[in-house]
Amino acid sequence: MPYIIETFDKPNHQQVRQQHRPAHLEFLKANSAVLLACGAKLHDDGSDLGGGLYVVALDTREEAERFIAADPFSKADLFERVVITRWRKAYVDGKCHI
């Protein structure tokens, strides 16, 4: 069953996010097989809110923890907080999975 990983950046760490963004994008590309969805959280005006959301097709919490720990953003100590929640896939891309 998939997991949602929500990350919250440390305050005033936008420079860390920008510095490590290329490595983060490479990490996502290398792990695209487990990504159901992911992206940055934004303010209503489209500016960066400081954090992200991942929906990953992994079987255990431990796998989800290892996944986010391997992200270059984690390795750069960008995150103030990470929340991992088990998720039941109901609808994805307009298709029912229940």
Side-chain angles (χ1 to χ4, degrees):
M1 188 169 287
Y3 283 83
I4 295 170
I5 303 171
E6 187 174 10
T7 62
F8 301 82
D9 292 1
K10 292 179 179 176
N12 304 311
H13 273 64
Q14 185 64 289
Q15 75 283 359
V16 175
R17 174 172 282 278
Q18 292 307 312
Q19 179 183 356
H20 295 278
R21 188 170 185 266
H24 166 74
L25 294 176
E26 285 298 317
F27 171 80
L28 295 179
K29 184 177 179 180
N31 288 280
S32 63
V34 300
L35 293 173
L36 298 176
C38 70
K41 296 185 292 188
L42 304 174
H43 291 283
D44 287 343
D45 67 3
S47 63
D48 194 338
L49 182 61
L53 182 76
Y54 309 68
V55 182
V56 292
L58 296 170
D59 294 325
T60 67
R61 176 173 298 278
E62 292 76 20
E63 288 175 313
E65 290 170 347
R66 282 193 301 272
F67 173 86
I68 198 64
D71 188 313
F73 283 165
S74 287
K75 291 180 177 186
D77 202 28
L78 173 62
F79 303 137
E80 177 177 60
R81 184 165 57 108
V82 174
V83 177
I84 299 174
T85 307
R86 199 159 181 194
W87 180 66
R88 179 181 299 120
K89 183 170 46 171
Y91 276 84
V92 176
D93 289 333
K95 295 179 185 170
C96 182
H97 294 270
I98 53 175

